[in-house]
Amino acid sequence: PFVDLTSFVDAADLETLDQYLKEQGIGPYFEQKHAEGRMCVFPADGLKYANAVELRNRDTSGWCMDVFHSFNGRDDFKQCRAHRGDPNTWRANGNSFLLPGVVEFIKRLPFFEQTGKVAIIINDANDTGVEHSDISLDDLVSEFVWIRTASSKKRFYVKHPVTNEKHFVEREGSPEDAAMVGFFDDHLKHGIVPVDDPAQWSIRVDGRFTPEFRALLAEQAAFGPQTNPTPDDGGKGLRGVLESQTNGPCFLMRENEEEEEVWSDEEEEE
């Protein structure tokens, strides 16, 4: 249920990132290494799933508030998810200046036209995590990659949408702790199993896929269930939703068009 993208990233670059993360105390030692650094709780289904070093924060300026137009908590969640790949919504924070090696690595990733939210997700020894799916929206597929470098002992799985079997996100024919870069549809249940080691991290980078990788992932990935079809899925369910998001989520594009029409009408009245 996941697509292995490791071969698209330079192996030496992954090794360099791995050493850099260790040198920077990623894991339980980040705040000891960086007095100005900030870790936060990374929740799932209202529970603590992990800790996180967020490299970008959601902008709270008037521009961002205007764009979101959220009317309640549920709508805010959908708007936030729809804007996860938007660099104007997610702005570099203090952690990003403490970890320039991670920032530069992300810039070199070949998968994205643009990137938004970035989080280093850290689990303590023997964490059980929280099995969960991130979204259940019929008209949105998250565009992101999941990265684990070789020194991380995290064991992360995604459940198959048909068999419900756990599939560990590992490279076929490689040791279970080998570096891994992948994509999965986060409508699917996923989680971790406890590991008696404090060195457990992964990186999630949200963005907007290039046409090449959008086509590759739409073809090869397994997708979760869609409750109701949408006008933009081409009869293909969530696979079709991903294909349709070339300029961003389609429902968001329509909202923007409607808003532009309202502004145009107001200008004409003035």
Side-chain angles (χ1 to χ4, degrees), residues 49 123 127-128 146 148 152-158 167-170 176-177 191-195 199-201:
Y49 173 75
N123 292 99
D127 266 2
T128 57
W146 184 93
R148 184 191 61 223
S152 171
K153 306 305 179 185
K154 180 180 290 192
R155 297 209 68 204
F156 179 82
Y157 65 84
V158 181
H167 289 256
F168 285 93
V169 181
E170 297 164 358
E176 64 183 39
D177 59 352
I192 61 170
V193 295
V195 176
Q200 298 185 62
W201 61 77

PDB file of all heavy atoms in Angstrom, residues 49 123 127-128 146 148 152-158 167-170 176-177 191-195 199-201:
ATOM      1  N   TYR A  49       0.650  10.972  19.448  1.00  0.00           N
ATOM      2  CA  TYR A  49       1.243   9.951  18.591  1.00  0.00           C
ATOM      3  C   TYR A  49       2.764   9.975  18.707  1.00  0.00           C
ATOM      4  O   TYR A  49       3.419   8.926  18.671  1.00  0.00           O
ATOM      5  CB  TYR A  49       0.836  10.204  17.138  1.00  0.00           C
ATOM      6  CG  TYR A  49       1.517   9.313  16.130  1.00  0.00           C
ATOM      7  CD1 TYR A  49       1.144   7.986  15.984  1.00  0.00           C
ATOM      8  CD2 TYR A  49       2.526   9.808  15.304  1.00  0.00           C
ATOM      9  CE1 TYR A  49       1.759   7.164  15.059  1.00  0.00           C
ATOM     10  CE2 TYR A  49       3.142   8.993  14.368  1.00  0.00           C
ATOM     11  CZ  TYR A  49       2.758   7.673  14.247  1.00  0.00           C
ATOM     12  OH  TYR A  49       3.379   6.862  13.326  1.00  0.00           O
ATOM     13  N   ASN A 123       9.651   9.488  17.881  1.00  0.00           N
ATOM     14  CA  ASN A 123       9.059   8.587  18.875  1.00  0.00           C
ATOM     15  C   ASN A 123      10.098   8.170  19.894  1.00  0.00           C
ATOM     16  O   ASN A 123      11.259   7.933  19.564  1.00  0.00           O
ATOM     17  CB  ASN A 123       8.477   7.345  18.203  1.00  0.00           C
ATOM     18  CG  ASN A 123       7.270   7.670  17.344  1.00  0.00           C
ATOM     19  OD1 ASN A 123       7.379   7.803  16.129  1.00  0.00           O
ATOM     20  ND2 ASN A 123       6.116   7.827  17.974  1.00  0.00           N
ATOM     21  N   ASP A 127       7.481   3.535  22.451  1.00  0.00           N
ATOM     22  CA  ASP A 127       6.223   4.199  22.116  1.00  0.00           C
ATOM     23  C   ASP A 127       5.323   3.241  21.343  1.00  0.00           C
ATOM     24  O   ASP A 127       5.781   2.527  20.447  1.00  0.00           O
ATOM     25  CB  ASP A 127       6.479   5.430  21.242  1.00  0.00           C
ATOM     26  CG  ASP A 127       6.604   6.713  22.044  1.00  0.00           C
ATOM     27  OD1 ASP A 127       6.523   6.642  23.279  1.00  0.00           O
ATOM     28  OD2 ASP A 127       6.777   7.781  21.427  1.00  0.00           O
ATOM     29  N   THR A 128       4.041   3.260  21.667  1.00  0.00           N
ATOM     30  CA  THR A 128       3.084   2.450  20.905  1.00  0.00           C
ATOM     31  C   THR A 128       2.428   3.253  19.789  1.00  0.00           C
ATOM     32  O   THR A 128       1.837   2.675  18.874  1.00  0.00           O
ATOM     33  CB  THR A 128       1.979   1.911  21.826  1.00  0.00           C
ATOM     34  OG1 THR A 128       1.329   3.021  22.472  1.00  0.00           O
ATOM     35  CG2 THR A 128       2.567   0.988  22.882  1.00  0.00           C
ATOM     36  N   TRP A 146       7.319  10.455   2.826  1.00  0.00           N
ATOM     37  CA  TRP A 146       7.726  10.018   4.167  1.00  0.00           C
ATOM     38  C   TRP A 146       9.164   9.532   4.055  1.00  0.00           C
ATOM     39  O   TRP A 146       9.491   8.732   3.170  1.00  0.00           O
ATOM     40  CB  TRP A 146       6.797   8.905   4.629  1.00  0.00           C
ATOM     41  CG  TRP A 146       7.000   8.378   6.017  1.00  0.00           C
ATOM     42  CD1 TRP A 146       6.372   8.798   7.156  1.00  0.00           C
ATOM     43  CD2 TRP A 146       7.857   7.295   6.421  1.00  0.00           C
ATOM     44  NE1 TRP A 146       6.789   8.052   8.238  1.00  0.00           N
ATOM     45  CE2 TRP A 146       7.706   7.125   7.815  1.00  0.00           C
ATOM     46  CE3 TRP A 146       8.743   6.454   5.729  1.00  0.00           C
ATOM     47  CZ2 TRP A 146       8.397   6.154   8.536  1.00  0.00           C
ATOM     48  CZ3 TRP A 146       9.438   5.496   6.444  1.00  0.00           C
ATOM     49  CH2 TRP A 146       9.267   5.348   7.837  1.00  0.00           C
ATOM     50  N   ARG A 148      12.656   8.086   6.158  1.00  0.00           N
ATOM     51  CA  ARG A 148      13.357   7.569   7.343  1.00  0.00           C
ATOM     52  C   ARG A 148      14.797   7.309   6.943  1.00  0.00           C
ATOM     53  O   ARG A 148      15.061   6.579   5.986  1.00  0.00           O
ATOM     54  CB  ARG A 148      12.719   6.270   7.836  1.00  0.00           C
ATOM     55  CG  ARG A 148      13.371   5.733   9.135  1.00  0.00           C
ATOM     56  CD  ARG A 148      12.908   4.327   9.467  1.00  0.00           C
ATOM     57  NE  ARG A 148      13.270   3.397   8.403  1.00  0.00           N
ATOM     58  CZ  ARG A 148      12.458   2.450   7.931  1.00  0.00           C
ATOM     59  NH1 ARG A 148      11.238   2.319   8.399  1.00  0.00           N
ATOM     60  NH2 ARG A 148      12.862   1.661   6.956  1.00  0.00           N
ATOM     61  N   SER A 152      17.613   5.697  12.056  1.00  0.00           N
ATOM     62  CA  SER A 152      16.335   5.662  12.749  1.00  0.00           C
ATOM     63  C   SER A 152      15.855   4.222  12.863  1.00  0.00           C
ATOM     64  O   SER A 152      15.837   3.475  11.879  1.00  0.00           O
ATOM     65  CB  SER A 152      15.294   6.482  11.992  1.00  0.00           C
ATOM     66  OG  SER A 152      13.998   6.285  12.532  1.00  0.00           O
ATOM     67  N   LYS A 153      15.440   3.825  14.046  1.00  0.00           N
ATOM     68  CA  LYS A 153      14.961   2.458  14.284  1.00  0.00           C
ATOM     69  C   LYS A 153      13.437   2.360  14.228  1.00  0.00           C
ATOM     70  O   LYS A 153      12.867   1.317  14.575  1.00  0.00           O
ATOM     71  CB  LYS A 153      15.458   1.964  15.649  1.00  0.00           C
ATOM     72  CG  LYS A 153      16.970   2.075  15.840  1.00  0.00           C
ATOM     73  CD  LYS A 153      17.744   1.358  14.733  1.00  0.00           C
ATOM     74  CE  LYS A 153      19.248   1.503  14.928  1.00  0.00           C
ATOM     75  NZ  LYS A 153      19.997   0.921  13.799  1.00  0.00           N
ATOM     76  N   LYS A 154      12.789   3.416  13.811  1.00  0.00           N
ATOM     77  CA  LYS A 154      11.327   3.422  13.749  1.00  0.00           C
ATOM     78  C   LYS A 154      10.820   2.331  12.808  1.00  0.00           C
ATOM     79  O   LYS A 154      11.316   2.171  11.691  1.00  0.00           O
ATOM     80  CB  LYS A 154      10.821   4.780  13.268  1.00  0.00           C
ATOM     81  CG  LYS A 154       9.301   4.874  13.174  1.00  0.00           C
ATOM     82  CD  LYS A 154       8.829   6.238  12.690  1.00  0.00           C
ATOM     83  CE  LYS A 154       9.063   7.309  13.727  1.00  0.00           C
ATOM     84  NZ  LYS A 154       8.360   8.567  13.401  1.00  0.00           N
ATOM     85  N   ARG A 155       9.807   1.587  13.259  1.00  0.00           N
ATOM     86  CA  ARG A 155       9.133   0.596  12.422  1.00  0.00           C
ATOM     87  C   ARG A 155       7.707   1.084  12.189  1.00  0.00           C
ATOM     88  O   ARG A 155       6.874   1.093  13.091  1.00  0.00           O
ATOM     89  CB  ARG A 155       9.154  -0.793  13.052  1.00  0.00           C
ATOM     90  CG  ARG A 155      10.564  -1.351  13.226  1.00  0.00           C
ATOM     91  CD  ARG A 155      10.550  -2.863  13.151  1.00  0.00           C
ATOM     92  NE  ARG A 155      10.214  -3.329  11.804  1.00  0.00           N
ATOM     93  CZ  ARG A 155       9.682  -4.530  11.545  1.00  0.00           C
ATOM     94  NH1 ARG A 155       9.412  -5.364  12.537  1.00  0.00           N
ATOM     95  NH2 ARG A 155       9.417  -4.892  10.305  1.00  0.00           N
ATOM     96  N   PHE A 156       7.465   1.484  10.984  1.00  0.00           N
ATOM     97  CA  PHE A 156       6.237   2.163  10.588  1.00  0.00           C
ATOM     98  C   PHE A 156       5.497   1.288   9.586  1.00  0.00           C
ATOM     99  O   PHE A 156       6.118   0.701   8.693  1.00  0.00           O
ATOM    100  CB  PHE A 156       6.605   3.505   9.952  1.00  0.00           C
ATOM    101  CG  PHE A 156       5.447   4.329   9.469  1.00  0.00           C
ATOM    102  CD1 PHE A 156       4.729   5.127  10.344  1.00  0.00           C
ATOM    103  CD2 PHE A 156       5.092   4.323   8.133  1.00  0.00           C
ATOM    104  CE1 PHE A 156       3.667   5.894   9.892  1.00  0.00           C
ATOM    105  CE2 PHE A 156       4.043   5.093   7.661  1.00  0.00           C
ATOM    106  CZ  PHE A 156       3.325   5.885   8.547  1.00  0.00           C
ATOM    107  N   TYR A 157       4.190   1.179   9.734  1.00  0.00           N
ATOM    108  CA  TYR A 157       3.420   0.338   8.835  1.00  0.00           C
ATOM    109  C   TYR A 157       2.218   1.089   8.267  1.00  0.00           C
ATOM    110  O   TYR A 157       1.736   2.064   8.836  1.00  0.00           O
ATOM    111  CB  TYR A 157       2.942  -0.937   9.538  1.00  0.00           C
ATOM    112  CG  TYR A 157       1.952  -0.704  10.664  1.00  0.00           C
ATOM    113  CD1 TYR A 157       0.595  -0.564  10.423  1.00  0.00           C
ATOM    114  CD2 TYR A 157       2.383  -0.619  11.992  1.00  0.00           C
ATOM    115  CE1 TYR A 157      -0.319  -0.337  11.442  1.00  0.00           C
ATOM    116  CE2 TYR A 157       1.488  -0.382  13.022  1.00  0.00           C
ATOM    117  CZ  TYR A 157       0.137  -0.239  12.748  1.00  0.00           C
ATOM    118  OH  TYR A 157      -0.754  -0.002  13.769  1.00  0.00           O
ATOM    119  N   VAL A 158       1.748   0.605   7.133  1.00  0.00           N
ATOM    120  CA  VAL A 158       0.507   1.067   6.509  1.00  0.00           C
ATOM    121  C   VAL A 158      -0.351  -0.164   6.276  1.00  0.00           C
ATOM    122  O   VAL A 158       0.141  -1.192   5.813  1.00  0.00           O
ATOM    123  CB  VAL A 158       0.783   1.784   5.171  1.00  0.00           C
ATOM    124  CG1 VAL A 158      -0.519   2.267   4.547  1.00  0.00           C
ATOM    125  CG2 VAL A 158       1.747   2.949   5.363  1.00  0.00           C
ATOM    126  N   HIS A 167       1.624  -3.592   6.453  1.00  0.00           N
ATOM    127  CA  HIS A 167       2.787  -3.634   5.568  1.00  0.00           C
ATOM    128  C   HIS A 167       3.810  -2.632   6.100  1.00  0.00           C
ATOM    129  O   HIS A 167       3.536  -1.427   6.120  1.00  0.00           O
ATOM    130  CB  HIS A 167       2.397  -3.274   4.132  1.00  0.00           C
ATOM    131  CG  HIS A 167       1.596  -4.328   3.447  1.00  0.00           C
ATOM    132  ND1 HIS A 167       2.135  -5.170   2.499  1.00  0.00           N
ATOM    133  CD2 HIS A 167       0.294  -4.685   3.575  1.00  0.00           C
ATOM    134  CE1 HIS A 167       1.194  -5.996   2.061  1.00  0.00           C
ATOM    135  NE2 HIS A 167       0.068  -5.731   2.707  1.00  0.00           N
ATOM    136  N   PHE A 168       4.957  -3.137   6.534  1.00  0.00           N
ATOM    137  CA  PHE A 168       5.973  -2.241   7.075  1.00  0.00           C
ATOM    138  C   PHE A 168       6.649  -1.496   5.929  1.00  0.00           C
ATOM    139  O   PHE A 168       6.947  -2.060   4.874  1.00  0.00           O
ATOM    140  CB  PHE A 168       6.984  -3.017   7.910  1.00  0.00           C
ATOM    141  CG  PHE A 168       6.434  -3.423   9.244  1.00  0.00           C
ATOM    142  CD1 PHE A 168       5.832  -4.666   9.416  1.00  0.00           C
ATOM    143  CD2 PHE A 168       6.459  -2.544  10.310  1.00  0.00           C
ATOM    144  CE1 PHE A 168       5.287  -5.030  10.633  1.00  0.00           C
ATOM    145  CE2 PHE A 168       5.921  -2.900  11.541  1.00  0.00           C
ATOM    146  CZ  PHE A 168       5.333  -4.139  11.700  1.00  0.00           C
ATOM    147  N   VAL A 169       6.870  -0.206   6.157  1.00  0.00           N
ATOM    148  CA  VAL A 169       7.445   0.652   5.130  1.00  0.00           C
ATOM    149  C   VAL A 169       8.951   0.426   5.126  1.00  0.00           C
ATOM    150  O   VAL A 169       9.716   1.091   5.825  1.00  0.00           O
ATOM    151  CB  VAL A 169       7.071   2.123   5.376  1.00  0.00           C
ATOM    152  CG1 VAL A 169       7.653   3.016   4.289  1.00  0.00           C
ATOM    153  CG2 VAL A 169       5.557   2.275   5.427  1.00  0.00           C
ATOM    154  N   GLU A 170       9.342  -0.537   4.334  1.00  0.00           N
ATOM    155  CA  GLU A 170      10.737  -0.968   4.237  1.00  0.00           C
ATOM    156  C   GLU A 170      11.036  -1.307   2.790  1.00  0.00           C
ATOM    157  O   GLU A 170      10.140  -1.657   2.018  1.00  0.00           O
ATOM    158  CB  GLU A 170      10.972  -2.210   5.120  1.00  0.00           C
ATOM    159  CG  GLU A 170      10.743  -1.947   6.598  1.00  0.00           C
ATOM    160  CD  GLU A 170      10.587  -3.228   7.417  1.00  0.00           C
ATOM    161  OE1 GLU A 170      10.624  -4.325   6.814  1.00  0.00           O
ATOM    162  OE2 GLU A 170      10.411  -3.124   8.638  1.00  0.00           O
ATOM    163  N   GLU A 176      15.682  -4.027   7.593  1.00  0.00           N
ATOM    164  CA  GLU A 176      14.498  -3.270   8.010  1.00  0.00           C
ATOM    165  C   GLU A 176      14.830  -1.843   8.430  1.00  0.00           C
ATOM    166  O   GLU A 176      13.947  -0.985   8.460  1.00  0.00           O
ATOM    167  CB  GLU A 176      13.762  -3.993   9.139  1.00  0.00           C
ATOM    168  CG  GLU A 176      14.543  -4.120  10.422  1.00  0.00           C
ATOM    169  CD  GLU A 176      13.785  -4.902  11.482  1.00  0.00           C
ATOM    170  OE1 GLU A 176      13.114  -5.900  11.123  1.00  0.00           O
ATOM    171  OE2 GLU A 176      13.869  -4.526  12.658  1.00  0.00           O
ATOM    172  N   ASP A 177      16.102  -1.575   8.759  1.00  0.00           N
ATOM    173  CA  ASP A 177      16.474  -0.225   9.173  1.00  0.00           C
ATOM    174  C   ASP A 177      17.161   0.554   8.045  1.00  0.00           C
ATOM    175  O   ASP A 177      17.786   1.591   8.290  1.00  0.00           O
ATOM    176  CB  ASP A 177      17.377  -0.262  10.407  1.00  0.00           C
ATOM    177  CG  ASP A 177      18.663  -1.053  10.189  1.00  0.00           C
ATOM    178  OD1 ASP A 177      18.789  -1.707   9.136  1.00  0.00           O
ATOM    179  OD2 ASP A 177      19.531  -1.017  11.083  1.00  0.00           O
ATOM    180  N   GLY A 191       0.581   3.349  11.439  1.00  0.00           N
ATOM    181  CA  GLY A 191       1.068   3.512  12.804  1.00  0.00           C
ATOM    182  C   GLY A 191       2.460   2.925  12.961  1.00  0.00           C
ATOM    183  O   GLY A 191       3.149   2.629  11.976  1.00  0.00           O
ATOM    184  N   ILE A 192       2.869   2.745  14.211  1.00  0.00           N
ATOM    185  CA  ILE A 192       4.188   2.198  14.526  1.00  0.00           C
ATOM    186  C   ILE A 192       4.027   1.020  15.475  1.00  0.00           C
ATOM    187  O   ILE A 192       2.976   0.843  16.097  1.00  0.00           O
ATOM    188  CB  ILE A 192       5.109   3.252  15.178  1.00  0.00           C
ATOM    189  CG1 ILE A 192       4.499   3.761  16.503  1.00  0.00           C
ATOM    190  CG2 ILE A 192       5.378   4.406  14.224  1.00  0.00           C
ATOM    191  CD1 ILE A 192       5.436   4.626  17.328  1.00  0.00           C
ATOM    192  N   VAL A 193       5.085   0.222  15.582  1.00  0.00           N
ATOM    193  CA  VAL A 193       5.153  -0.799  16.618  1.00  0.00           C
ATOM    194  C   VAL A 193       6.259  -0.394  17.582  1.00  0.00           C
ATOM    195  O   VAL A 193       7.216   0.287  17.196  1.00  0.00           O
ATOM    196  CB  VAL A 193       5.426  -2.199  16.027  1.00  0.00           C
ATOM    197  CG1 VAL A 193       4.262  -2.633  15.148  1.00  0.00           C
ATOM    198  CG2 VAL A 193       6.728  -2.227  15.238  1.00  0.00           C
ATOM    199  N   PRO A 194       6.152  -0.767  18.870  1.00  0.00           N
ATOM    200  CA  PRO A 194       7.159  -0.359  19.850  1.00  0.00           C
ATOM    201  C   PRO A 194       8.539  -0.906  19.504  1.00  0.00           C
ATOM    202  O   PRO A 194       8.691  -2.065  19.113  1.00  0.00           O
ATOM    203  CB  PRO A 194       6.645  -0.949  21.166  1.00  0.00           C
ATOM    204  CG  PRO A 194       5.186  -1.179  20.933  1.00  0.00           C
ATOM    205  CD  PRO A 194       5.043  -1.516  19.491  1.00  0.00           C
ATOM    206  N   VAL A 195       9.534  -0.050  19.673  1.00  0.00           N
ATOM    207  CA  VAL A 195      10.931  -0.424  19.487  1.00  0.00           C
ATOM    208  C   VAL A 195      11.707   0.079  20.693  1.00  0.00           C
ATOM    209  O   VAL A 195      11.569   1.245  21.080  1.00  0.00           O
ATOM    210  CB  VAL A 195      11.514   0.189  18.191  1.00  0.00           C
ATOM    211  CG1 VAL A 195      12.997  -0.142  18.065  1.00  0.00           C
ATOM    212  CG2 VAL A 195      10.747  -0.302  16.974  1.00  0.00           C
ATOM    213  N   ALA A 199      16.256   6.163  19.282  1.00  0.00           N
ATOM    214  CA  ALA A 199      16.556   6.770  17.985  1.00  0.00           C
ATOM    215  C   ALA A 199      15.470   6.379  16.985  1.00  0.00           C
ATOM    216  O   ALA A 199      15.622   5.432  16.211  1.00  0.00           O
ATOM    217  CB  ALA A 199      17.930   6.325  17.491  1.00  0.00           C
ATOM    218  N   GLN A 200      14.364   7.089  17.025  1.00  0.00           N
ATOM    219  CA  GLN A 200      13.244   6.790  16.123  1.00  0.00           C
ATOM    220  C   GLN A 200      12.706   8.109  15.558  1.00  0.00           C
ATOM    221  O   GLN A 200      12.100   8.891  16.285  1.00  0.00           O
ATOM    222  CB  GLN A 200      12.128   6.070  16.867  1.00  0.00           C
ATOM    223  CG  GLN A 200      12.506   4.722  17.449  1.00  0.00           C
ATOM    224  CD  GLN A 200      11.296   4.044  18.063  1.00  0.00           C
ATOM    225  OE1 GLN A 200      10.312   3.738  17.389  1.00  0.00           O
ATOM    226  NE2 GLN A 200      11.353   3.824  19.373  1.00  0.00           N
ATOM    227  N   TRP A 201      12.955   8.324  14.283  1.00  0.00           N
ATOM    228  CA  TRP A 201      12.447   9.535  13.652  1.00  0.00           C
ATOM    229  C   TRP A 201      12.082   9.262  12.197  1.00  0.00           C
ATOM    230  O   TRP A 201      12.541   8.304  11.576  1.00  0.00           O
ATOM    231  CB  TRP A 201      13.473  10.669  13.719  1.00  0.00           C
ATOM    232  CG  TRP A 201      14.767  10.362  13.008  1.00  0.00           C
ATOM    233  CD1 TRP A 201      15.002  10.379  11.654  1.00  0.00           C
ATOM    234  CD2 TRP A 201      16.004   9.982  13.618  1.00  0.00           C
ATOM    235  NE1 TRP A 201      16.300  10.030  11.384  1.00  0.00           N
ATOM    236  CE2 TRP A 201      16.945   9.784  12.577  1.00  0.00           C
ATOM    237  CE3 TRP A 201      16.417   9.810  14.939  1.00  0.00           C
ATOM    238  CZ2 TRP A 201      18.266   9.410  12.817  1.00  0.00           C
ATOM    239  CZ3 TRP A 201      17.733   9.427  15.177  1.00  0.00           C
ATOM    240  CH2 TRP A 201      18.645   9.248  14.140  1.00  0.00           C
TER     241      TRP A 201
END
